[in-house]
Amino acid sequence: MRGPVTEEALHAEDVRKTYRSRGGPEVEALRGVSLVLRRGGRVALLGRNGAGKTTFLRIASTLLIPTSGTIHAFGFDVVREPERVRPLIAVVPQEGKPFFHLTPREQVYYYLRARGISRETARTRTEEALGKMGIQEVADRLSVTLSGGQRQRAMVATVLATEAPLMFLDEPTIGLDPFARRAVWGVLRDLTRKGSTILLTTHYLDEAEALSERLYVVDEGRILFEGTSDDAKRQIGGTLRVSIEDGGGQRDLFRSFGHTVEEGNALSVITGPEKVHEIMDLALRNGLSATVGPVTLEEAFLTIVGRSIDEE
Amino acid sequence: MAFGLRWSGTRVFLATEIRVQLHEWLAIVTGTLTPGALLIFVAVLAPGLLPVTLIGALVYSMFLIGQRVLNEAAYIRIDHKLNELYHASPLSPEGYFVGIAGGMLIAYLPPSLLILAILEILHPLSFLAIVALATCLLAVWAVSSTIGYVVSTLFKDMKTIWPYSALLTNLFGVLPPVFYPFSRVPTEWRSLVLVLPTSAAAVLIDAAAGLEGVTVTQGVLAAMALAVEATALFAFGIYWARRTARER
């Protein structure tokens, strides 16, 4: 199912969610999240634990009702028309596991059939998904006998085989080895080429960078940043990082060259290519060794979220 | 779509649940242990009560299906998060509930058929008695499945749920006259046990099988109570499944 013709796969406007527990304090999990996912895009939500990523994903996938705000999937109101949205979406829940007393082959096949996919297509897609996720060899063993990584692959295969127009993946590669993670990335890229839209959460920033065309950094229920990973890196004042060993405590010496970060004994200066020479010179003249590398998304993420924490 | 009910995916989800249970065949076999043990006691101590106890075993087994619904629904929600996989899909919430309840009923039917076969040998049932038996057992299944499903949605960890499972089984399956004759119940308690779904079912089946006599008033009270409870509770189960498919 490819979904109705609309350029926007998901459109969220000022979505808020406050959890109220009896006797406990109110928790504002989302404080006005707005975002638009264009059809066929791959977007990552990044944030610390408890930032509100999963809450947003659960609202967008019809599993949780927001306190206020509007959210539409392919033009359908997620809150008021969940039965029209559900055929168009699929979800890998956080920490989800397949039925332990089904084999991965049965798990994928039965799930596709429950979604109304024909027997023949379900069989073909099941074999494809098991193959792409590299679990064909264990496809006839009960999931209870599989390793955690194999179970996770079975879970991801179950959802990716749906080829749903809009997929929500909540930390889909957690516990997977680097080969399996790359297999998932490959399948996700294929799916978006075919027209599916992917919204994922992850704590692996290399994954977010490799996979997502657009990133949203969320903290305490608000979006702090929206853009590409290069945009995120530019936010911290440069694209290169000069790491100066034993430079800790010498911040003043290098401060004029850009944003500085002390990590134990080392000092990192975030700067542009035009200043690298000068910094290296200064470091060497002071008997300090220095190395140059590109700024990572992790540094950008830490800076964006850290800045927000400092402001509070 | 009567009453706005949607059944998309129900048949396949029911088949999924049956498949899951068949892979756990040992649980199905051990499902006969409790009623089986009671039958042995009765066969040794009071063989004349064996047909009543066999009917009790059928009612008890049907009530146990509700406890299995409780455990399965809680397990796949709390431990596996599979409810989210299915609720965010075209499978309707009512189909999810009926799939679990129906899957358990079908998967755990063989032990009940075995008990029924023994009953047929010891005390052959008339056609009317068989119809009464099937109807009453179905009503007990509807009641117990709903109780099981609703309770499964109320808690956030499995350990909290286990005591409720044991409590419900004893409250509905052991205390009231399910395994023993209605005539042994003190008169002042009889009206109460006639409105409990399990004892109402046992009393009606015993009467239809000619094993126990009940007055017309008692029969009507038991039948009405069971019918109302089964219909109202199952309808509530569907409502609850739809309500809890989305958290608030």
Side-chain angles (χ1 to χ4, degrees):
Chain A
M1 190 181 273
R2 294 265 63 91
V5 181
T6 155
E7 271 311 298
E8 287 178 357
L10 192 75
H11 190 136
E13 201 68 55
D14 196 26
V15 176
R16 293 169 185 271
K17 179 68 191 177
T18 304
Y19 291 105
R20 294 181 175 91
S21 60
R22 250 176 257 144
E26 284 190 353
V27 178
E28 277 187 278
L30 291 181
R31 305 174 190 210
V33 169
S34 300
L35 60 82
V36 176
L37 262 71
R38 67 167 186 80
R39 202 185 169 103
R42 286 190 306 271
V43 173
L45 284 183
L46 306 177
R48 295 185 290 164
N49 295 326
K53 307 181 297 291
T54 298
T55 298
F56 181 79
L57 233 69
R58 297 188 75 235
I59 289 172
S61 56
T62 77
L63 294 169
L64 181 66
I65 296 177
T67 307
S68 65
T70 59
I71 184 158
H72 290 81
F74 297 105
F76 297 124
D77 190 324
V78 168
V79 178
R80 292 170 204 273
E81 305 173 286
E83 67 287 346
R84 301 189 78 169
V85 173
R86 286 172 180 153
L88 305 171
I89 63 169
V91 177
V92 175
Q94 192 179 67
E95 296 173 10
K97 297 172 201 156
F99 276 110
F100 276 5
H101 288 86
L102 283 185
T103 67
R105 180 168 277 123
E106 289 169 337
Q107 166 80 34
V108 178
Y109 175 76
Y110 278 117
Y111 183 64
L112 296 182
R113 293 283 296 128
R115 291 184 65 99
I117 293 167
S118 73
R119 276 195 184 88
E120 201 179 319
T121 309
R123 269 194 210 104
T124 313
R125 285 205 203 155
T126 299
E127 295 312 313
E128 274 175 17
L130 295 171
K132 283 177 183 167
M133 293 309 303
I135 47 171
Q136 260 173 332
E137 281 179 19
V138 295
D140 291 318
R141 278 171 48 187
L142 290 182
S143 291
V144 70
T145 67
L146 304 182
S147 70
Q150 287 167 329
R151 286 176 192 161
Q152 180 66 8
R153 280 192 258 174
M155 198 65 190
V156 173
T158 303
V159 170
L160 299 189
T162 63
E163 298 187 6
L166 177 56
M167 295 192 205
F168 301 99
L169 299 96
D170 202 351
E171 298 182 25
T173 59
I174 199 150
L176 295 188
D177 64 50
F179 291 102
R181 283 175 66 205
R182 274 153 187 80
V184 174
W185 300 358
V187 178
L188 293 180
R189 286 194 188 103
D190 282 350
L191 285 169
T192 49
R193 267 194 288 272
K194 286 183 187 174
S196 290
T197 307
I198 310 280
L199 178 61
L200 76 139
T201 74
T202 181
H203 287 295
Y204 299 122
L205 296 178
D206 60 330
E207 178 167 291
E209 191 164 21
L211 207 52
S212 312
E213 295 148 358
R214 207 159 180 78
L215 307 170
Y216 287 87
V217 177
V218 185
D219 198 56
E220 303 208 326
R222 289 194 187 92
I223 290 179
L224 299 181
F225 168 81
E226 173 194 347
T228 63
S229 62
D230 284 341
D231 293 339
K233 289 172 190 171
R234 276 194 285 274
Q235 286 260 315
I236 62 170
T239 53
L240 293 173
R241 174 180 24 84
V242 183
S243 300
I244 300 149
E245 264 183 58
D246 298 324
Q250 307 216 34
R251 219 171 184 162
D252 290 344
L253 200 59
F254 296 96
R255 185 165 282 165
S256 61
F257 294 104
H259 177 62
T260 54
V261 184
E262 274 191 72
E263 286 169 301
N265 274 344
L267 178 77
S268 291
V269 185
I270 310 297
T271 188
E274 67 286 351
K275 291 183 183 167
V276 169
H277 238 89
E278 263 184 89
I279 300 170
M280 297 290 279
D281 261 2
L282 185 60
L284 294 173
R285 271 191 272 122
N286 283 278
L288 303 166
S289 63
T291 52
V292 186
V295 163
T296 63
L297 182 58
E298 183 159 319
E299 283 159 332
F301 172 77
L302 289 171
T303 307
I304 293 166
V305 176
R307 206 183 284 154
S308 157
I309 296 168
D310 289 345
E311 279 167 15
E312 278 171 25
Chain B
M1 285 219 303
F3 304 106
L5 296 177
R6 294 169 56 251
W7 299 107
S8 53
T10 308
R11 199 169 44 83
V12 179
F13 187 60
L14 188 140
T16 309
E17 269 300 334
I18 294 171
R19 190 79 189 125
V20 170
Q21 301 313 315
L22 292 181
H23 277 305
E24 293 179 277
W25 59 270
L26 192 60
I28 297 175
V29 173
T30 56
T32 58
L33 286 181
T34 308
L38 280 168
L39 290 174
I40 291 167
F41 281 130
V42 172
V44 172
L45 299 172
L49 286 179
L50 205 49
V52 170
T53 313
L54 281 161
I55 287 170
L58 284 169
V59 172
Y60 181 82
S61 299
M62 212 43 68
F63 191 77
L64 272 189
I65 287 173
Q67 305 316 296
R68 295 194 173 98
V69 169
L70 194 170
N71 288 318
E72 176 74 358
Y75 183 61
I76 62 179
R77 178 178 68 85
I78 296 167
D79 201 70
H80 288 233
K81 308 271 176 73
L82 281 169
N83 62 319
E84 297 195 358
L85 183 79
Y86 282 100
H87 287 331
S89 85
L91 173 69
S92 64
E94 44 270 53
Y96 180 78
F97 162 54
V98 172
I100 295 178
M104 292 294 163
L105 173 68
I106 295 168
Y108 281 86
L109 213 48
S112 295
L113 292 176
L114 180 69
I115 295 168
L116 184 61
I118 299 169
L119 178 65
E120 268 297 312
I121 293 166
L122 294 179
H123 184 88
L125 300 177
S126 66
F127 176 72
L128 193 70
I130 288 178
V131 171
L133 180 131
T135 310
C136 289
L137 292 185
L138 211 59
V140 172
W141 164 78
V143 168
S144 70
S145 297
T146 304
I147 294 173
Y149 188 81
V150 171
V151 173
S152 83
T153 61
L154 301 179
F155 302 98
K156 288 189 173 174
D157 86 303
M158 290 301 293
K159 272 194 169 179
T160 318
I161 285 171
W162 290 331
Y164 288 91
S165 183
L167 180 73
L168 288 168
T169 309
N170 284 301
L171 203 61
F172 286 95
V174 178
L175 278 180
V178 172
F179 280 101
Y180 60 92
F182 175 64
S183 54
R184 307 281 172 97
V185 177
T187 320
E188 60 270 27
W189 287 97
R190 288 189 180 172
S191 298
L192 176 66
V193 300
L194 285 173
V195 296
L196 275 180
T198 42
S199 43
V203 166
L204 288 169
I205 302 167
D206 286 346
L211 292 166
E212 280 268 288
V214 287
T215 64
V216 174
T217 313
Q218 287 171 335
V220 169
L221 178 61
M224 281 184 62
L226 188 58
V228 169
E229 284 160 1
T231 314
L233 271 176
F234 201 67
F236 178 74
I238 286 171
Y239 159 78
W240 192 252
R242 290 166 71 159
R243 184 183 159 82
T244 53
R246 289 204 288 178
E247 257 181 63
R248 276 159 175 81

